[in-house]
Amino acid sequence: MTDDDKRTDAARLDVAAILEGLRADVRARRMAQGRLEQSPLERDLQRSLDEIELYRVVSAHWPLTGRTLSQRAVALVNKVVRRYLRWYINPIVEQQNAYNDAMARALRTLADAYADLGEQVAERLAPSADDAPGPKPQAAGPNRLSIAEAMALVRERAAAEPPARFPDLELRALEPQLRLRQEVSAHWPLAGRTMPQRAAALANKLVRRYLRWYVNPIVEQQNAANAAYSAALLALVHLDAERRAQVAAFRAHERRAEGDDRR
């Protein structure tokens, strides 16, 4: 491992330590304000968002050094090649970084929205004085619905309900696609049928093999960012399922309360 690699690893460790400290401060503030501790799904999502901050910026320039004279000569040649090719590579990297930034902000906004929704649901589901255990007043006389009245009540409520949609199932179906598409490859088959095509493919392979010192690190950085995006999106999918279950429990609680009031 070179000194540059050690410095990069140390910098990432420092960033990870800072992020962990920030998470601890957020947890302390939440507890001080009487807010609920994060659920395991929320913690997984937060870790994924932190990883996005580590990997979302792709760099096309990193130290090119060497210890021996020949290694330094190769590094100098590579620097010249990289400087010449920056008109081609840098705009690609800048566009990707712009997308990465927009993606990171969108995911953080979604995470904040789900956190706010979770707090609202938790507040609505909190037990109130009416839910305290003990005998409740009962209406005088029996108040049972007949089958015809129950069916009419079901039809009435069904007519007032919005059309059923199942976006949670669509989100689940996206999970394998995320894992399938998250990895970018800098190597694909180069072949040809005729002799000139084969010669051109061979030349392209040689150029690609030489430029792997330049292109491969960019692809690896983007793949790390893509993996963090996929992890955050999957965590949001799971958190969405949890919030839907909480909302369903809240609605069931309201329905039970309405039934008790009618009796």
Short mmCIF file of all heavy atoms in Angstrom, two decimals, residues 63-119:
data_model
loop_
_atom_site.label_atom_id
_atom_site.label_comp_id
_atom_site.label_asym_id
_atom_site.label_seq_id
_atom_site.Cartn_x
_atom_site.Cartn_y
_atom_site.Cartn_z
N PRO A 63 -3.23 11.07 -7.11
CA PRO A 63 -1.76 11.10 -7.22
C PRO A 63 -1.23 9.95 -8.08
O PRO A 63 -1.64 8.80 -7.94
CB PRO A 63 -1.30 10.96 -5.76
CG PRO A 63 -2.46 11.42 -4.96
CD PRO A 63 -3.69 11.03 -5.72
N LEU A 64 -0.32 10.28 -8.97
CA LEU A 64 0.40 9.30 -9.78
C LEU A 64 1.88 9.42 -9.40
O LEU A 64 2.54 10.40 -9.77
CB LEU A 64 0.21 9.56 -11.27
CG LEU A 64 -1.21 9.43 -11.81
CD1 LEU A 64 -1.28 9.87 -13.26
CD2 LEU A 64 -1.71 8.00 -11.66
N THR A 65 2.35 8.47 -8.65
CA THR A 65 3.72 8.53 -8.15
C THR A 65 4.43 7.22 -8.42
O THR A 65 3.83 6.24 -8.88
CB THR A 65 3.72 8.81 -6.64
OG1 THR A 65 3.00 7.77 -5.95
CG2 THR A 65 3.07 10.15 -6.32
N GLY A 66 5.69 7.20 -8.12
CA GLY A 66 6.50 6.00 -8.25
C GLY A 66 7.73 6.09 -7.38
O GLY A 66 8.22 7.20 -7.08
N ARG A 67 8.22 4.97 -6.97
CA ARG A 67 9.40 4.96 -6.10
C ARG A 67 10.69 4.87 -6.92
O ARG A 67 11.64 5.58 -6.65
CB ARG A 67 9.31 3.79 -5.12
CG ARG A 67 8.15 3.92 -4.13
CD ARG A 67 8.15 2.77 -3.14
NE ARG A 67 7.06 2.93 -2.17
CZ ARG A 67 6.82 2.06 -1.18
NH1 ARG A 67 7.58 0.98 -1.04
NH2 ARG A 67 5.83 2.28 -0.35
N THR A 68 10.68 4.00 -7.90
CA THR A 68 11.89 3.84 -8.71
C THR A 68 11.87 4.84 -9.86
O THR A 68 10.86 5.49 -10.14
CB THR A 68 11.97 2.41 -9.26
OG1 THR A 68 10.89 2.20 -10.16
CG2 THR A 68 11.90 1.39 -8.13
N LEU A 69 13.01 4.95 -10.53
CA LEU A 69 13.12 5.88 -11.65
C LEU A 69 12.18 5.49 -12.78
O LEU A 69 11.54 6.36 -13.39
CB LEU A 69 14.58 5.92 -12.14
CG LEU A 69 14.88 6.93 -13.26
CD1 LEU A 69 14.57 8.34 -12.79
CD2 LEU A 69 16.32 6.81 -13.71
N SER A 70 12.08 4.20 -13.07
CA SER A 70 11.18 3.76 -14.15
C SER A 70 9.73 4.02 -13.79
O SER A 70 8.93 4.43 -14.64
CB SER A 70 11.40 2.27 -14.42
OG SER A 70 11.14 1.50 -13.26
N GLN A 71 9.36 3.80 -12.53
CA GLN A 71 7.98 4.06 -12.11
C GLN A 71 7.66 5.54 -12.21
O GLN A 71 6.54 5.93 -12.60
CB GLN A 71 7.77 3.57 -10.68
CG GLN A 71 7.76 2.06 -10.54
CD GLN A 71 7.65 1.60 -9.10
OE1 GLN A 71 7.83 2.39 -8.17
NE2 GLN A 71 7.37 0.32 -8.89
N ARG A 72 8.62 6.39 -11.87
CA ARG A 72 8.39 7.83 -11.99
C ARG A 72 8.26 8.26 -13.44
O ARG A 72 7.46 9.15 -13.77
CB ARG A 72 9.53 8.59 -11.32
CG ARG A 72 9.57 8.43 -9.80
CD ARG A 72 10.78 9.11 -9.21
NE ARG A 72 10.86 8.90 -7.76
CZ ARG A 72 11.86 9.30 -6.99
NH1 ARG A 72 12.89 9.95 -7.55
NH2 ARG A 72 11.85 9.06 -5.71
N ALA A 73 9.02 7.62 -14.31
CA ALA A 73 8.91 7.94 -15.74
C ALA A 73 7.53 7.55 -16.28
O ALA A 73 6.90 8.31 -17.03
CB ALA A 73 10.01 7.22 -16.51
N VAL A 74 7.06 6.36 -15.88
CA VAL A 74 5.71 5.94 -16.30
C VAL A 74 4.65 6.88 -15.75
O VAL A 74 3.69 7.25 -16.45
CB VAL A 74 5.46 4.49 -15.85
CG1 VAL A 74 4.01 4.10 -16.10
CG2 VAL A 74 6.39 3.53 -16.59
N ALA A 75 4.80 7.28 -14.48
CA ALA A 75 3.83 8.20 -13.88
C ALA A 75 3.82 9.53 -14.63
O ALA A 75 2.76 10.13 -14.83
CB ALA A 75 4.16 8.41 -12.41
N LEU A 76 5.00 10.01 -15.05
CA LEU A 76 5.06 11.26 -15.79
C LEU A 76 4.34 11.14 -17.13
O LEU A 76 3.58 12.05 -17.53
CB LEU A 76 6.52 11.67 -15.99
CG LEU A 76 6.76 12.96 -16.79
CD1 LEU A 76 6.11 14.14 -16.10
CD2 LEU A 76 8.25 13.20 -17.00
N VAL A 77 4.55 10.03 -17.83
CA VAL A 77 3.85 9.81 -19.10
C VAL A 77 2.34 9.76 -18.88
O VAL A 77 1.56 10.36 -19.63
CB VAL A 77 4.36 8.51 -19.76
CG1 VAL A 77 3.50 8.18 -20.99
CG2 VAL A 77 5.82 8.66 -20.17
N ASN A 78 1.92 9.06 -17.82
CA ASN A 78 0.50 8.96 -17.52
C ASN A 78 -0.11 10.32 -17.19
O ASN A 78 -1.25 10.63 -17.56
CB ASN A 78 0.26 7.99 -16.37
CG ASN A 78 0.56 6.55 -16.74
OD1 ASN A 78 0.64 6.21 -17.92
ND2 ASN A 78 0.75 5.70 -15.75
N LYS A 79 0.66 11.16 -16.50
CA LYS A 79 0.16 12.51 -16.20
C LYS A 79 -0.04 13.32 -17.47
O LYS A 79 -1.03 14.06 -17.61
CB LYS A 79 1.14 13.22 -15.28
CG LYS A 79 1.13 12.73 -13.84
CD LYS A 79 2.13 13.50 -12.99
CE LYS A 79 2.14 13.01 -11.55
NZ LYS A 79 3.13 13.72 -10.71
N VAL A 80 0.89 13.18 -18.40
CA VAL A 80 0.77 13.90 -19.67
C VAL A 80 -0.46 13.41 -20.44
O VAL A 80 -1.24 14.20 -20.98
CB VAL A 80 2.04 13.73 -20.52
CG1 VAL A 80 1.86 14.32 -21.91
CG2 VAL A 80 3.24 14.39 -19.82
N VAL A 81 -0.66 12.07 -20.47
CA VAL A 81 -1.82 11.51 -21.16
C VAL A 81 -3.10 11.97 -20.50
O VAL A 81 -4.07 12.34 -21.16
CB VAL A 81 -1.72 9.97 -21.18
CG1 VAL A 81 -3.01 9.36 -21.72
CG2 VAL A 81 -0.53 9.53 -22.02
N ARG A 82 -3.13 11.95 -19.16
CA ARG A 82 -4.34 12.37 -18.45
C ARG A 82 -4.62 13.85 -18.70
O ARG A 82 -5.80 14.24 -18.84
CB ARG A 82 -4.18 12.10 -16.96
CG ARG A 82 -5.42 12.41 -16.14
CD ARG A 82 -5.28 11.96 -14.71
NE ARG A 82 -4.25 12.72 -14.00
CZ ARG A 82 -3.89 12.47 -12.74
NH1 ARG A 82 -4.46 11.47 -12.08
NH2 ARG A 82 -2.96 13.19 -12.15
N ARG A 83 -3.60 14.64 -18.72
CA ARG A 83 -3.80 16.07 -18.98
C ARG A 83 -4.36 16.30 -20.38
O ARG A 83 -5.20 17.17 -20.58
CB ARG A 83 -2.49 16.84 -18.79
CG ARG A 83 -2.64 18.33 -18.88
CD ARG A 83 -1.34 19.04 -18.53
NE ARG A 83 -1.50 20.48 -18.56
CZ ARG A 83 -1.95 21.21 -17.55
NH1 ARG A 83 -2.30 20.63 -16.42
NH2 ARG A 83 -2.06 22.52 -17.65
N TYR A 84 -3.89 15.53 -21.34
CA TYR A 84 -4.40 15.67 -22.70
C TYR A 84 -5.85 15.21 -22.79
O TYR A 84 -6.68 15.84 -23.46
CB TYR A 84 -3.54 14.88 -23.67
CG TYR A 84 -4.16 14.77 -25.05
CD1 TYR A 84 -4.24 15.88 -25.89
CD2 TYR A 84 -4.72 13.56 -25.48
CE1 TYR A 84 -4.85 15.79 -27.13
CE2 TYR A 84 -5.33 13.48 -26.72
CZ TYR A 84 -5.39 14.59 -27.55
OH TYR A 84 -5.99 14.49 -28.76
N LEU A 85 -6.20 14.11 -22.10
CA LEU A 85 -7.54 13.52 -22.21
C LEU A 85 -8.58 14.17 -21.31
O LEU A 85 -9.73 13.76 -21.33
CB LEU A 85 -7.48 12.02 -21.89
CG LEU A 85 -6.82 11.13 -22.95
CD1 LEU A 85 -6.79 9.69 -22.48
CD2 LEU A 85 -7.55 11.24 -24.29
N ARG A 86 -8.19 15.18 -20.54
CA ARG A 86 -9.18 15.76 -19.64
C ARG A 86 -10.31 16.45 -20.39
O ARG A 86 -11.41 16.58 -19.85
CB ARG A 86 -8.50 16.74 -18.68
CG ARG A 86 -7.87 17.94 -19.33
CD ARG A 86 -7.19 18.81 -18.28
NE ARG A 86 -6.59 20.00 -18.87
CZ ARG A 86 -5.95 20.93 -18.16
NH1 ARG A 86 -5.83 20.78 -16.86
NH2 ARG A 86 -5.43 21.98 -18.76
N TRP A 87 -10.08 16.92 -21.63
CA TRP A 87 -11.17 17.50 -22.42
C TRP A 87 -12.25 16.46 -22.70
O TRP A 87 -13.42 16.80 -22.94
CB TRP A 87 -10.62 18.02 -23.75
CG TRP A 87 -10.06 16.93 -24.63
CD1 TRP A 87 -8.77 16.47 -24.65
CD2 TRP A 87 -10.78 16.12 -25.58
NE1 TRP A 87 -8.63 15.45 -25.56
CE2 TRP A 87 -9.84 15.21 -26.14
CE3 TRP A 87 -12.09 16.08 -26.03
CZ2 TRP A 87 -10.20 14.27 -27.12
CZ3 TRP A 87 -12.45 15.15 -27.00
CH2 TRP A 87 -11.51 14.26 -27.53
N TYR A 88 -11.88 15.18 -22.63
CA TYR A 88 -12.81 14.10 -22.93
C TYR A 88 -13.42 13.50 -21.66
O TYR A 88 -14.63 13.30 -21.57
CB TYR A 88 -12.06 13.02 -23.70
CG TYR A 88 -12.90 11.84 -24.14
CD1 TYR A 88 -14.22 12.00 -24.54
CD2 TYR A 88 -12.36 10.56 -24.16
CE1 TYR A 88 -14.99 10.92 -24.94
CE2 TYR A 88 -13.13 9.47 -24.55
CZ TYR A 88 -14.44 9.66 -24.95
OH TYR A 88 -15.19 8.58 -25.34
N ILE A 89 -12.58 13.26 -20.65
CA ILE A 89 -13.03 12.56 -19.45
C ILE A 89 -13.69 13.50 -18.44
O ILE A 89 -14.72 13.17 -17.85
CB ILE A 89 -11.84 11.83 -18.80
CG1 ILE A 89 -11.24 10.82 -19.77
CG2 ILE A 89 -12.27 11.15 -17.51
CD1 ILE A 89 -12.17 9.70 -20.17
N ASN A 90 -13.10 14.69 -18.24
CA ASN A 90 -13.61 15.58 -17.19
C ASN A 90 -15.08 15.96 -17.35
O ASN A 90 -15.82 15.97 -16.37
CB ASN A 90 -12.74 16.84 -17.11
CG ASN A 90 -11.43 16.58 -16.40
OD1 ASN A 90 -10.99 15.43 -16.31
ND2 ASN A 90 -10.80 17.62 -15.91
N PRO A 91 -15.55 16.32 -18.56
CA PRO A 91 -16.99 16.62 -18.68
C PRO A 91 -17.88 15.43 -18.30
O PRO A 91 -18.96 15.62 -17.73
CB PRO A 91 -17.15 17.00 -20.15
CG PRO A 91 -15.81 17.49 -20.56
CD PRO A 91 -14.83 16.65 -19.81
N ILE A 92 -17.44 14.22 -18.62
CA ILE A 92 -18.22 13.04 -18.24
C ILE A 92 -18.31 12.92 -16.73
O ILE A 92 -19.38 12.70 -16.15
CB ILE A 92 -17.60 11.77 -18.85
CG1 ILE A 92 -17.61 11.85 -20.38
CG2 ILE A 92 -18.33 10.52 -18.38
CD1 ILE A 92 -16.89 10.69 -21.06
N VAL A 93 -17.16 13.09 -16.07
CA VAL A 93 -17.12 12.98 -14.61
C VAL A 93 -17.94 14.10 -13.97
O VAL A 93 -18.66 13.88 -12.99
CB VAL A 93 -15.66 13.02 -14.12
CG1 VAL A 93 -15.60 13.08 -12.60
CG2 VAL A 93 -14.90 11.79 -14.62
N GLU A 94 -17.87 15.31 -14.51
CA GLU A 94 -18.63 16.43 -13.95
C GLU A 94 -20.14 16.20 -14.08
O GLU A 94 -20.90 16.50 -13.15
CB GLU A 94 -18.23 17.72 -14.65
CG GLU A 94 -16.81 18.18 -14.31
CD GLU A 94 -16.33 19.30 -15.21
OE1 GLU A 94 -17.15 19.76 -16.06
OE2 GLU A 94 -15.18 19.73 -15.07
N GLN A 95 -20.57 15.67 -15.22
CA GLN A 95 -21.99 15.35 -15.37
C GLN A 95 -22.42 14.27 -14.39
O GLN A 95 -23.50 14.35 -13.79
CB GLN A 95 -22.26 14.89 -16.81
CG GLN A 95 -22.08 15.96 -17.86
CD GLN A 95 -22.25 15.40 -19.27
OE1 GLN A 95 -23.36 15.20 -19.75
NE2 GLN A 95 -21.13 15.13 -19.92
N GLN A 96 -21.57 13.25 -14.21
CA GLN A 96 -21.91 12.19 -13.27
C GLN A 96 -21.97 12.73 -11.85
O GLN A 96 -22.85 12.35 -11.06
CB GLN A 96 -20.88 11.07 -13.36
CG GLN A 96 -21.22 9.85 -12.51
CD GLN A 96 -22.53 9.21 -12.92
OE1 GLN A 96 -22.71 8.85 -14.07
NE2 GLN A 96 -23.46 9.09 -11.98
N ASN A 97 -21.05 13.62 -11.50
CA ASN A 97 -21.07 14.20 -10.16
C ASN A 97 -22.30 15.06 -9.93
O ASN A 97 -22.84 15.11 -8.81
CB ASN A 97 -19.80 15.02 -9.93
CG ASN A 97 -18.60 14.15 -9.61
OD1 ASN A 97 -18.74 13.03 -9.14
ND2 ASN A 97 -17.42 14.66 -9.88
N ALA A 98 -22.74 15.77 -10.97
CA ALA A 98 -23.97 16.56 -10.85
C ALA A 98 -25.17 15.64 -10.58
O ALA A 98 -26.03 15.95 -9.74
CB ALA A 98 -24.20 17.38 -12.12
N TYR A 99 -25.21 14.52 -11.29
CA TYR A 99 -26.29 13.56 -11.04
C TYR A 99 -26.17 12.97 -9.64
O TYR A 99 -27.19 12.83 -8.93
CB TYR A 99 -26.25 12.44 -12.08
CG TYR A 99 -27.18 11.31 -11.75
CD1 TYR A 99 -28.54 11.42 -12.01
CD2 TYR A 99 -26.71 10.13 -11.18
CE1 TYR A 99 -29.41 10.38 -11.70
CE2 TYR A 99 -27.57 9.10 -10.85
CZ TYR A 99 -28.92 9.23 -11.12
OH TYR A 99 -29.77 8.21 -10.80
N ASN A 100 -24.95 12.62 -9.23
CA ASN A 100 -24.76 12.05 -7.90
C ASN A 100 -25.23 13.02 -6.82
O ASN A 100 -25.84 12.61 -5.82
CB ASN A 100 -23.29 11.71 -7.68
CG ASN A 100 -22.84 10.52 -8.52
OD1 ASN A 100 -23.65 9.85 -9.15
ND2 ASN A 100 -21.54 10.27 -8.53
N ASP A 101 -24.94 14.30 -7.00
CA ASP A 101 -25.36 15.30 -6.02
C ASP A 101 -26.88 15.40 -5.96
O ASP A 101 -27.47 15.46 -4.88
CB ASP A 101 -24.74 16.65 -6.38
CG ASP A 101 -25.08 17.72 -5.36
OD1 ASP A 101 -24.64 17.62 -4.21
OD2 ASP A 101 -25.82 18.66 -5.72
N ALA A 102 -27.52 15.43 -7.12
CA ALA A 102 -28.98 15.49 -7.15
C ALA A 102 -29.59 14.24 -6.52
O ALA A 102 -30.59 14.31 -5.79
CB ALA A 102 -29.48 15.67 -8.58
N MET A 103 -29.01 13.08 -6.81
CA MET A 103 -29.50 11.83 -6.25
C MET A 103 -29.36 11.82 -4.73
O MET A 103 -30.28 11.42 -4.00
CB MET A 103 -28.71 10.67 -6.85
CG MET A 103 -29.21 9.30 -6.46
SD MET A 103 -30.77 8.90 -7.29
CE MET A 103 -30.85 7.14 -6.99
N ALA A 104 -28.22 12.28 -4.23
CA ALA A 104 -28.00 12.31 -2.78
C ALA A 104 -28.99 13.24 -2.10
O ALA A 104 -29.55 12.91 -1.04
CB ALA A 104 -26.56 12.74 -2.49
N ARG A 105 -29.22 14.42 -2.69
CA ARG A 105 -30.18 15.36 -2.09
C ARG A 105 -31.60 14.80 -2.11
O ARG A 105 -32.37 14.98 -1.15
CB ARG A 105 -30.11 16.70 -2.80
CG ARG A 105 -28.87 17.51 -2.45
CD ARG A 105 -28.90 18.92 -2.99
NE ARG A 105 -28.57 18.96 -4.40
CZ ARG A 105 -29.43 19.19 -5.38
NH1 ARG A 105 -30.70 19.42 -5.10
NH2 ARG A 105 -29.05 19.23 -6.64
N ALA A 106 -31.96 14.12 -3.19
CA ALA A 106 -33.31 13.54 -3.28
C ALA A 106 -33.49 12.45 -2.23
O ALA A 106 -34.54 12.37 -1.56
CB ALA A 106 -33.54 12.98 -4.68
N LEU A 107 -32.48 11.60 -2.05
CA LEU A 107 -32.58 10.53 -1.06
C LEU A 107 -32.65 11.10 0.35
O LEU A 107 -33.40 10.59 1.19
CB LEU A 107 -31.39 9.58 -1.21
CG LEU A 107 -31.41 8.70 -2.46
CD1 LEU A 107 -30.10 7.92 -2.58
CD2 LEU A 107 -32.58 7.73 -2.43
N ARG A 108 -31.88 12.13 0.63
CA ARG A 108 -31.93 12.73 1.96
C ARG A 108 -33.29 13.39 2.21
O ARG A 108 -33.82 13.35 3.32
CB ARG A 108 -30.80 13.76 2.13
CG ARG A 108 -29.44 13.11 2.32
CD ARG A 108 -28.47 14.05 3.04
NE ARG A 108 -27.27 13.33 3.42
CZ ARG A 108 -27.13 12.64 4.54
NH1 ARG A 108 -28.15 12.57 5.39
NH2 ARG A 108 -26.01 12.02 4.82
N THR A 109 -33.84 14.03 1.18
CA THR A 109 -35.17 14.63 1.33
C THR A 109 -36.22 13.55 1.61
O THR A 109 -37.10 13.73 2.47
CB THR A 109 -35.54 15.42 0.06
OG1 THR A 109 -34.54 16.42 -0.18
CG2 THR A 109 -36.89 16.09 0.23
N LEU A 110 -36.13 12.44 0.89
CA LEU A 110 -37.06 11.34 1.14
C LEU A 110 -36.89 10.79 2.56
O LEU A 110 -37.87 10.48 3.25
CB LEU A 110 -36.83 10.22 0.12
CG LEU A 110 -37.49 10.39 -1.25
CD1 LEU A 110 -37.02 9.28 -2.19
CD2 LEU A 110 -39.01 10.35 -1.13
N ALA A 111 -35.64 10.63 2.99
CA ALA A 111 -35.40 10.12 4.33
C ALA A 111 -35.98 11.06 5.39
O ALA A 111 -36.59 10.61 6.37
CB ALA A 111 -33.90 9.93 4.54
N ASP A 112 -35.80 12.37 5.20
CA ASP A 112 -36.37 13.33 6.15
C ASP A 112 -37.89 13.27 6.14
O ASP A 112 -38.54 13.38 7.20
CB ASP A 112 -35.91 14.75 5.79
CG ASP A 112 -34.42 14.95 6.02
OD1 ASP A 112 -33.83 14.15 6.77
OD2 ASP A 112 -33.85 15.89 5.42
N ALA A 113 -38.48 13.10 4.95
CA ALA A 113 -39.94 13.02 4.86
C ALA A 113 -40.46 11.78 5.58
O ALA A 113 -41.46 11.84 6.32
CB ALA A 113 -40.37 12.99 3.39
N TYR A 114 -39.78 10.64 5.41
CA TYR A 114 -40.21 9.43 6.10
C TYR A 114 -40.01 9.54 7.60
O TYR A 114 -40.81 9.02 8.39
CB TYR A 114 -39.45 8.22 5.56
CG TYR A 114 -40.10 7.60 4.34
CD1 TYR A 114 -39.48 7.64 3.10
CD2 TYR A 114 -41.33 6.97 4.44
CE1 TYR A 114 -40.07 7.08 1.98
CE2 TYR A 114 -41.93 6.41 3.33
CZ TYR A 114 -41.30 6.47 2.10
OH TYR A 114 -41.91 5.91 1.00
N ALA A 115 -38.94 10.22 8.02
CA ALA A 115 -38.73 10.41 9.46
C ALA A 115 -39.84 11.26 10.06
O ALA A 115 -40.38 10.96 11.13
CB ALA A 115 -37.37 11.05 9.71
N ASP A 116 -40.22 12.34 9.34
CA ASP A 116 -41.31 13.19 9.82
C ASP A 116 -42.63 12.42 9.85
O ASP A 116 -43.42 12.53 10.79
CB ASP A 116 -41.42 14.42 8.92
CG ASP A 116 -42.50 15.38 9.40
OD1 ASP A 116 -42.34 15.97 10.47
OD2 ASP A 116 -43.52 15.53 8.69
N LEU A 117 -42.86 11.61 8.81
CA LEU A 117 -44.09 10.82 8.78
C LEU A 117 -44.12 9.82 9.93
O LEU A 117 -45.17 9.60 10.56
CB LEU A 117 -44.19 10.08 7.44
CG LEU A 117 -45.40 9.15 7.26
CD1 LEU A 117 -46.69 9.94 7.36
CD2 LEU A 117 -45.31 8.43 5.92
N GLY A 118 -42.97 9.20 10.22
CA GLY A 118 -42.92 8.26 11.33
C GLY A 118 -43.23 8.90 12.66
O GLY A 118 -43.92 8.31 13.50
N GLU A 119 -42.74 10.13 12.87
CA GLU A 119 -43.03 10.83 14.12
C GLU A 119 -44.52 11.18 14.21
O GLU A 119 -45.13 11.08 15.29
CB GLU A 119 -42.17 12.08 14.21
CG GLU A 119 -40.69 11.78 14.40
CD GLU A 119 -39.84 13.03 14.33
OE1 GLU A 119 -40.43 14.12 14.19
OE2 GLU A 119 -38.60 12.91 14.43
#
